[in-house]
Amino acid sequence: MRDSKKILSEHKVSITNPRILVLEALLDNKNPLTIDELQSKLKNKVAKSTLYRVLNDLKNINILNEFTDPNNATVVELLLEEDSHHHHLFCSDCGEIIDIQMGESFESTLSKEIKRIEKKFNFIIEDHRLELFGKCTDLCKNCI
Amino acid sequence: MRDSKKILSEHKVSITNPRILVLEALLDNKNPLTIDELQSKLKNKVAKSTLYRVLNDLKNINILNEFTDPNNATVVELLLEEDSHHHHLFCSDCGEIIDIQMGESFESTLSKEIKRIEKKFNFIIEDHRLELFGKCTDLCKNCI
DNA sequence: CAATAAATGAGAATTATTCTCATTTTTTAT
DNA sequence: ATAAAAAATGAGAATAATTCTCATTTATTG
């Protein structure tokens, strides 16, 4: 409750109830949520048009990551620490999405490879995303 | 024109005009197309409900890869050779999507890392996707 | 605390995708 | 080659996700 207000003021956006509620719902989950899951957590406390607007606000201040799961459903997650670079693991059985960190040596090999691609295609690469797809055998909360 | 019929018969699906037209449009492009781009190429020669059905058919016979671009627009591409493992490079200026191959040593480092993740999370990982985001400086056909 | 600016809620509008069903095309078996 | 059966198509209705509109409410500023 405190946290969410602090986040908003630190990013110089006005502190409103819908924003606090959405932030709290997102802060409450360490793994990403689909829009549906987020709406369920919020019940009817935030109008859906407002929910989309708030998500957009959070994207604008760069603390929200938005992507799509293997069914093309939109998924969001808060990105609070600058250094929290991570990737995602999707379970095709239960739909669970898990944040994963790749080892340092992998990330450094990837950086080198990215430099090669930048030269080859004359691109400036600003970001990347790695997603792994598979089946959990016992860890996902819905698969147990 | 020949190719597309062969592809269909090899996969044991009936040979119809809409399927031929969609395949030809996709064969014509080495890089992925958004649904909009595909519809433009097809003009009104294929009804939109049929287009979606045909794309679905192609997915079912495992020769179509579908994903979303950074604007969440659906993108499709044919996957004809089994061994054509590749990734994608997105230009945020012009929207161009380019197929890229990562070097062998990168892919092998990734494989090892994936094995580690499988153990750690008790997952069976079946596929992965790597996307690079940036700006082309002179190569994309729309950015010149 | 008043004035101004910004954000919200409710629902309409828009967009992408799927569904329905009568008609047409393709395949199969002769 | 042809008739019967099966599958696919087109047109548009239905659905789902997201964006937009605008009158009202809430937050910020001085």
Side-chain angles (χ1 to χ4, degrees):
Chain A
M1 204 210 280
R2 205 96 294 277
D3 277 349
S4 55
K5 290 187 187 176
K6 189 155 56 159
I7 292 167
L8 293 170
S9 66
E10 275 169 3
H11 287 88
K12 304 193 182 62
V13 298
S14 53
I15 294 165
T16 67
N17 229 262
R19 285 173 181 169
I20 291 168
L21 291 169
V22 172
L23 272 178
E24 277 170 8
L26 292 170
L27 282 165
D28 193 38
N29 267 66
K30 54 179 180 320
N31 285 321
L33 292 175
T34 62
I35 301 284
D36 280 351
E37 289 166 338
L38 185 51
Q39 273 176 327
S40 307
K41 291 195 75 163
L42 291 167
K43 277 297 179 194
N44 296 332
K45 285 182 280 182
V46 176
K48 87 180 136 57
S49 51
T50 302
L51 173 58
Y52 281 103
R53 269 182 303 224
V54 168
L55 291 175
N56 210 52
D57 298 336
L58 301 180
K59 268 195 280 183
N60 288 336
I61 60 176
N62 295 306
I63 63 169
L64 190 81
N65 188 21
E66 188 185 86
F67 55 98
T68 53
D69 73 11
N71 306 314
N72 292 333
T74 299
V75 172
V76 292
E77 70 179 339
L78 274 188
L79 281 186
L80 288 178
E81 291 99 64
E82 298 297 353
D83 54 348
S84 65
H85 179 67
H86 66 269
H87 300 286
H88 295 112
L89 179 52
F90 297 89
C91 174
S92 58
D93 279 342
C94 67
E96 184 80 1
I97 305 168
I98 298 173
D99 284 352
I100 54 174
Q101 305 262 154
M102 303 300 260
E104 269 193 28
S105 84
F106 168 79
E107 292 287 354
S108 105
T109 304
L110 176 55
S111 294
K112 282 182 214 125
E113 191 64 6
I114 284 178
K115 288 202 187 78
R116 188 182 69 80
I117 299 281
E118 284 187 315
K119 284 214 186 77
K120 176 165 178 188
F121 290 94
N122 215 347
F123 249 72
I124 293 161
I125 293 173
E126 293 158 342
D127 198 8
H128 66 266
R129 173 172 292 168
L130 174 63
E131 298 167 325
L132 307 181
F133 306 98
K135 290 181 196 307
C136 67
T137 55
D138 64 16
L139 246 184
C140 288
K141 55 175 177 286
N142 305 313
C143 272
I144 295 167
Chain B
M1 204 210 281
R2 205 96 295 275
D3 277 350
S4 54
K5 289 186 187 176
K6 189 156 55 156
I7 291 168
L8 292 170
S9 66
E10 276 169 3
H11 287 89
K12 305 193 182 64
V13 297
S14 53
I15 294 165
T16 67
N17 229 262
R19 285 173 181 169
I20 291 168
L21 291 169
V22 172
L23 272 178
E24 277 171 7
L26 291 170
L27 282 166
D28 193 37
N29 268 67
K30 55 179 179 321
N31 285 320
L33 292 175
T34 62
I35 301 284
D36 280 351
E37 289 166 339
L38 184 52
Q39 272 176 326
S40 307
K41 290 196 77 163
L42 292 168
K43 278 296 181 197
N44 295 333
K45 285 182 281 183
V46 175
K48 86 179 137 57
S49 51
T50 304
L51 173 59
Y52 281 103
R53 266 182 305 222
V54 168
L55 291 175
N56 210 51
D57 298 336
L58 301 181
K59 267 195 283 182
N60 288 336
I61 60 177
N62 294 308
I63 64 170
L64 191 82
N65 188 21
E66 188 185 87
F67 55 98
T68 53
D69 75 9
N71 305 314
N72 292 332
T74 298
V75 172
V76 291
E77 71 180 338
L78 274 187
L79 281 185
L80 289 177
E81 291 100 65
E82 299 297 353
D83 55 347
S84 65
H85 179 65
H86 66 269
H87 300 286
H88 295 111
L89 180 51
F90 298 88
C91 175
S92 58
D93 279 342
C94 67
E96 184 80 0
I97 304 167
I98 297 173
D99 284 352
I100 55 174
Q101 306 262 155
M102 304 299 261
E104 269 194 27
S105 82
F106 168 79
E107 291 287 354
S108 103
T109 304
L110 176 55
S111 294
K112 282 182 214 125
E113 190 64 6
I114 284 178
K115 288 201 188 79
R116 188 182 68 81
I117 300 281
E118 285 187 313
K119 285 214 186 77
K120 177 165 176 187
F121 291 95
N122 216 346
F123 249 73
I124 293 161
I125 293 174
E126 293 159 342
D127 199 9
H128 66 266
R129 172 172 292 167
L130 174 63
E131 299 167 324
L132 307 181
F133 305 98
K135 291 181 196 306
C136 67
T137 56
D138 63 16
L139 247 184
C140 290
K141 53 175 179 288
N142 305 312
C143 272
I144 297 170

